[in-house]
Amino acid sequence: MVIDAGHGGRDPGASGAQTQEKAVTLAAARQLKAELERTGRYRVRLTRDDDAYVDLYRRVSIARQADADLFISLHADAGADPALRGASVYTLSEQGAGRAVREFTRGDNWHRDLHLPGRDPSVDRILLDMTQRATQNRSAQFARVLLTHLEAAEHPLLRRSHRDAGLAVLLAPDVPAVLLEMGFITNPEDERALTDERARRRLMRAVAQGIDRYFQQPAAPVLQASNASASGSP
């Protein structure tokens, strides 16, 4: 699987009173990697392991080239109201799914990238749509499992904690992906938790347990587009 530490290098992300988002995400990514590798069940790759800038589409390419079974992008939220706090999880929206198809089919050899037959463009497009639908369903399944484990760990959550968006790091049509906003760096309590090594390790342990649970579950059936859209924002 691939863990993406959001931002980095010339892109600091959001800023709190004491730290920048790019530092928090890198520390969390390293801790999550260690938690997963300790089990001996995972091969884990980071999109960055230092303070480097990595293009958003390059992050997606890293996951696809690694043939990753799961991609999780770690971030820290920000808001104008310092009282706002809590984690949330994003999965790909229906509008984003359409954008992903357009991006992915722009080249002439896109079917080879997905190991599709390549003999009939209409058949390849149907197979691409099916692949992406299955990926969206798996992403939503992981998001629900992850939020359950964060709640069980008594980690604060936003009231509407499962959201959907057309974020670039979620666009891979064949890699289940979520973006985890670990908390609000602009909230004093969340920032303290995100910058405290022990508190951050507890959070990453809950994330690792959610990943374990996700891989123990059977794949969700492919839903119709209307149902999948509703599941993106429960």
Side-chain angles (χ1 to χ4, degrees):
M1 70 166 294
V2 171
I3 303 169
D4 174 43
H7 305 282
R10 66 176 185 267
D11 175 16
S15 295
Q18 305 295 329
T19 191
Q20 293 179 316
E21 183 179 2
K22 66 176 183 178
V24 167
T25 60
L26 180 58
R30 288 170 171 168
Q31 285 177 311
L32 179 56
K33 182 175 186 285
E35 289 289 337
L36 292 170
E37 289 181 336
R38 191 174 294 118
T39 69
R41 293 189 292 272
Y42 300 97
R43 288 181 300 161
V44 184
R45 180 170 178 182
L46 301 180
T47 57
R48 67 180 183 96
D49 196 17
D50 55 19
D51 185 19
Y53 174 78
V54 182
D55 179 80
L56 294 177
Y57 293 101
R58 173 60 184 153
R59 296 170 194 247
V60 176
S61 295
I62 289 171
R64 297 198 67 246
Q65 289 167 7
D67 197 21
D69 294 314
L70 186 64
F71 176 92
I72 180 168
S73 186
L74 301 177
H75 287 258
D77 220 333
D81 181 1
L84 192 60
R85 67 177 307 206
S88 60
V89 177
Y90 283 86
T91 51
L92 187 64
S93 65
E94 288 300 319
Q95 185 177 7
R99 173 188 167 197
V101 169
R102 290 191 298 273
E103 292 279 348
F104 202 77
T105 57
R106 185 172 294 169
D108 293 332
N109 298 317
W110 63 269
H111 58 278
R112 295 179 187 172
D113 200 19
L114 270 177
H115 308 293
L116 298 175
R119 292 186 293 269
D120 186 331
S122 62
V123 172
D124 283 348
R125 177 57 187 267
I126 291 171
L127 293 173
L128 171 59
D129 288 343
M130 291 175 65
T131 297
Q132 186 178 58
R133 179 64 57 202
T135 298
Q136 284 182 268
N137 289 341
R138 286 292 276 168
S139 299
Q141 184 178 4
F142 174 54
R144 290 190 292 268
V145 170
L146 178 56
L147 287 167
T148 297
H149 280 267
L150 294 180
E151 186 175 23
E154 299 183 348
H155 188 76
L157 300 176
L158 282 178
R159 185 178 62 84
R160 190 167 75 89
S161 54
H162 187 176
R163 299 167 174 244
D164 58 1
L167 302 168
V169 292
L170 303 178
L171 292 180
D174 52 351
V175 180
V178 305
L179 184 147
L180 170 61
E181 295 280 10
M182 299 178 289
F184 279 76
I185 201 169
T186 47
N187 174 271
E189 292 174 273
D190 276 3
E191 185 183 18
R192 277 195 297 272
L194 292 173
T195 54
D196 180 80
E197 184 177 357
R198 295 175 71 178
R200 196 173 54 236
R201 183 176 292 112
R202 285 195 297 271
L203 172 59
M204 290 302 103
R205 189 168 296 128
V207 174
Q209 290 168 352
I211 291 169
D212 269 343
R213 180 66 179 276
Y214 164 76
F215 281 114
Q216 291 168 6
Q217 294 184 343
V222 177
L223 306 177
Q224 296 299 318
S226 58
N227 291 338
S229 178
S231 71
S233 299

